[in-house]
Amino acid sequence: VNADSDGQVHFGGATGFLRALSVERSGGVSTGDSVRLLGRVVRDNGRPALDEVTPNVLVQGASVVIPRDATAAEAASANGGALDAALVRARNLSITDTSTNLEGHYRFWAVDGVDSVEVVLRDFLQLNTSIIRPDTILGISQATGLLNPVDDGSGSVRWQILPRGPTDLLLQTKEADIAVTVELDTLAASLGDIVEVTVVVTNNGPWRATAFEVRDTVPAALTYLSSTQTGGSYDSDTGLWSFADLDVGQADTLSVLLEVTDGTPASIPIIAEALGLTFEVDPNAGNNGASVQLGVS
């Protein structure tokens, strides 16, 4: 809580705050208190503010504020205005759309795999923003900060996270454990038989995997007939199964029907393998590929 010379009260820091107008029982609120506010949203000098405010003191002289864990969607909308927190913490965020705002502060959109929230790194934090980019293997393991309202000019308000210091933004190498398995509906076939190959790719996390491929090429002794997949896109000409992203815990399946067109007796390997991640690191390369043998007689 900060007092102003015009008799108004600011809730928050010196560079990121919510202005409160017509504060009732303001005599019972002191600097450093943790408070809950009840008021009416208005616009004051072009910025969102609260009018007819009733503050309720939760903790007097609070020295440590515990952040509220929130998803990107909850932070960006303050949970539809119902989020009971001024200080929030979002986790496991990818970085997109970096730029500077009108005040020249560095900003980016933090994505948790479902939604995104704007994070603004103000100049006084003196953070090395050169590594906070979408084209690196670094992500944000934790982003803690004040919720700051922004009027988009149409009367609606969105919210951004304002970290208070260098320790509020924790960087981490994005790791995504991609596991690949392959199965056949039969291990023995003859000329003219149709076999089904089933490939399953799973992201064991802890991060969402983006922009990667799995190769499942058709051996020369077999001819491609058709395929279906639950996610991604499969190119039968190249044998590449491409993914824009795969969430943590998600598993997608590719089923390919093949005809045996060479009856020469042989043991034919059916191989599927992940070709590597673009913006993440796979901590377990041992499960990136799998193979089975089809016996032709």
Side-chain angles (χ1 to χ4, degrees):
V1 177
N2 298 285
D4 199 352
S5 59
D6 59 7
Q8 298 173 352
V9 178
H10 299 167
F11 295 89
T15 56
F17 59 84
L18 177 64
R19 188 187 301 272
L21 312 174
S22 306
V23 180
E24 300 178 11
R25 300 197 300 273
S26 58
V29 180
S30 303
T31 299
D33 287 350
S34 173
V35 299
R36 176 181 294 149
L37 304 178
L38 177 64
R40 181 171 58 90
V41 177
V42 296
R43 192 181 307 178
D44 180 68
N45 293 322
R47 289 181 58 85
L50 285 180
D51 195 11
E52 301 176 6
V53 174
T54 301
N56 297 307
V57 177
L58 301 179
V59 180
Q60 290 184 338
S63 58
V64 177
V65 180
I66 300 176
R68 156 80 177 270
D69 281 322
T71 65
E74 287 175 333
S77 67
N79 198 17
L83 190 62
D84 187 17
L87 186 66
V88 297
R89 177 174 53 211
R91 301 177 186 270
N92 295 346
L93 304 162
S94 297
I95 301 165
T96 64
D97 300 329
T98 59
S99 64
T100 56
N101 63 14
L102 294 177
E103 291 77 26
H105 302 310
Y106 189 81
R107 68 175 182 173
F108 61 90
W109 292 90
V111 183
D112 62 5
V114 179
D115 291 289
S116 62
V117 60
E118 183 183 10
V119 179
V120 179
L121 305 180
R122 293 160 291 174
D123 289 342
F124 70 85
L125 296 178
Q126 297 183 338
L127 292 174
N128 178 15
T129 59
S130 64
I131 59 175
I132 304 176
R133 306 194 317 268
D135 57 345
T136 73
I137 61 172
L138 291 177
I140 308 296
S141 62
Q142 291 185 24
T144 303
L146 299 167
L147 277 181
N148 187 57
V150 179
D151 193 327
D152 66 1
S154 64
S156 62
V157 174
R158 61 181 174 84
W159 298 76
Q160 54 189 199
I161 294 179
L162 303 180
R164 303 157 300 169
T167 59
D168 273 354
L169 199 66
L170 301 182
L171 299 178
Q172 180 180 345
T173 299
K174 294 182 291 184
E175 293 187 344
D177 178 16
I178 299 299
V180 177
T181 63
V182 60
E183 294 181 352
L184 289 172
D185 64 342
T186 180
L187 297 179
S190 302
L191 180 65
D193 286 349
I194 295 176
V195 298
E196 183 178 21
V197 179
T198 301
V199 181
V200 178
V201 57
T202 305
N203 180 10
N204 295 321
W207 287 81
R208 183 171 59 112
T210 57
F212 72 98
E213 295 175 324
V214 175
R215 180 164 54 204
D216 176 43
T217 53
V218 178
L222 307 175
T223 298
Y224 171 85
L225 297 177
S226 64
S227 61
T228 58
Q229 65 276 341
T230 60
S233 59
Y234 178 67
D235 186 338
S236 60
D237 293 331
T238 63
L240 293 178
W241 186 16
S242 302
F243 291 85
D245 58 71
L246 192 66
D247 287 335
V248 176
Q250 183 177 343
D252 278 331
T253 300
L254 168 69
S255 298
V256 182
L257 292 181
L258 305 172
E259 181 181 356
V260 179
T261 51
D262 185 344
T264 304
S267 180
I268 302 173
I270 308 294
I271 303 171
E273 58 181 344
L275 299 183
L277 300 171
T278 305
F279 300 119
E280 297 81 29
V281 173
D282 194 324
N284 182 17
N287 61 1
N288 288 170
S291 66
V292 290
Q293 298 288 326
L294 175 65
V296 175
S297 59

